[in-house]
Amino acid sequence: MDGNGRWAQLRGRPRLFGHHEGAKRVKEIVRACPELGVDYLTVFAFSTENWKRTQTEVAGLMRLFKRYIRKEATNLHEENVRVRFIGDRVRLEPSLVDLMDGLELMTAQNTGTNLTIALNYGGRDEVTRAARRLAHDVKAGNLDPRQINDETFPRYLDTHVLPDPDLVIRTSGEARISNFLLWQSAYSEYEFIDTLWPDFTAKVFAEVLARFGLRERRFGAVKA
């Protein structure tokens, strides 16, 4: 969800204003998913690299995450949305982690849109943490090294209960993946668009999905 800060600066407003507008856009996109046939939506809210931003912006984002969860928890539950968080929670404030845990528990039985929020997430960090857990199981005698393959390893990832993404959308005109779902997106389709996230409406989402629907996905094979 890139471009919040630039969107605000273009309007002569502080970067945090853009993040608040971006949070509103998340609500619209989540609500559009059922009609658009999207069962799983993952949004990249805060990366392991975003701690490098100014203390003011980071603190403002953390307050925004808390506010979003408190404000939207009931709505998400009533709309049958299942919420999960991925990323390393160790560095996050305990009060934020408590809110995340509570929202996951509240929506655990919901059967509608699966919303995953990547918070303090980085693809390399995720793979590193997964390898550490795998190594621990090998050391403890719970896993034979000969059993490790491309089906075993994903069980240790944050996304072990989720399907791999079919489509990854990067907003704001940046043409890079920025450490997002590195293992999972091996065969994902990518769409890089110039739209800044606060301008990414349900209509734009539908247009991107329509283009995705025209793509031929071969997963390394050759069409017969």
Side-chain angles (χ1 to χ4, degrees):
M1 302 184 291
D2 197 25
N4 293 332
R6 276 169 283 171
W7 184 89
Q9 290 172 329
L10 286 170
R11 289 158 177 77
R13 304 295 297 272
R15 290 177 58 85
L16 283 173
F17 175 76
H19 293 306
H20 281 274
E21 292 301 307
K24 296 177 184 177
R25 192 61 69 198
V26 173
K27 184 175 181 178
E28 175 183 345
I29 297 303
V30 172
R31 284 183 166 172
C33 283
E35 183 178 346
L36 295 174
V38 175
D39 296 324
Y40 290 86
L41 174 72
T42 300
V43 295
F44 202 177
F46 190 87
S47 77
T48 50
E49 289 72 41
N50 286 157
W51 295 103
K52 300 174 185 176
R53 297 186 177 186
T54 66
Q55 185 176 356
T56 299
E57 184 170 357
V58 170
L61 283 167
M62 294 302 155
R63 288 194 299 271
L64 176 59
F65 297 146
K66 293 179 186 178
R67 176 184 175 187
Y68 178 84
I69 294 174
R70 292 191 184 106
K71 183 178 179 182
E72 298 299 331
T74 300
N75 292 332
L76 289 165
H77 183 44
E78 291 178 349
E79 292 172 15
N80 200 30
V81 177
R82 171 76 183 270
V83 182
R84 297 179 178 88
F85 291 90
I86 59 174
D88 188 358
R89 305 186 188 193
V90 173
R91 192 172 178 180
L92 300 175
E93 297 175 13
S95 57
L96 174 55
V97 174
D98 287 344
L99 288 170
M100 294 161 61
D101 291 342
L103 182 55
E104 287 183 324
L105 181 61
M106 176 190 292
T107 63
Q109 302 304 315
N110 290 347
T111 58
T113 302
N114 288 270
L115 171 63
T116 302
I117 302 173
L119 188 54
N120 194 29
Y121 174 86
R124 288 181 173 180
D125 177 72
E126 178 191 26
V127 171
T128 300
R129 288 186 287 105
R132 190 179 299 126
R133 288 192 290 268
L134 184 149
H136 183 273
D137 276 356
V138 170
K139 183 178 180 180
N142 298 323
L143 179 66
D144 187 331
R146 291 170 294 185
Q147 296 176 313
I148 301 172
N149 54 38
D150 61 0
E151 293 182 359
T152 306
F153 187 74
R155 299 173 193 167
Y156 292 85
L157 295 172
D158 295 354
T159 56
H160 63 278
V161 297
L162 301 172
D164 289 342
D166 294 305
L167 173 66
V168 178
I169 305 168
R170 174 68 187 260
T171 58
S172 86
E174 302 290 354
R176 58 179 180 272
I177 60 176
S178 292
N179 203 16
F180 184 58
L181 298 178
L182 299 180
W183 176 282
Q184 301 88 335
S185 62
Y187 276 100
S188 301
E189 297 292 320
Y190 277 82
E191 184 88 13
F192 299 101
I193 63 175
D194 293 332
T195 306
L196 301 175
W197 175 252
D199 293 325
F200 188 82
T201 62
K203 180 176 182 294
V204 175
F205 191 23
E207 292 170 352
V208 173
L209 291 173
R211 291 196 295 271
F212 165 74
L214 299 175
R215 298 190 186 190
E216 180 185 349
R217 305 183 71 199
R218 297 188 297 276
F219 301 95
V222 176
K223 186 176 181 180

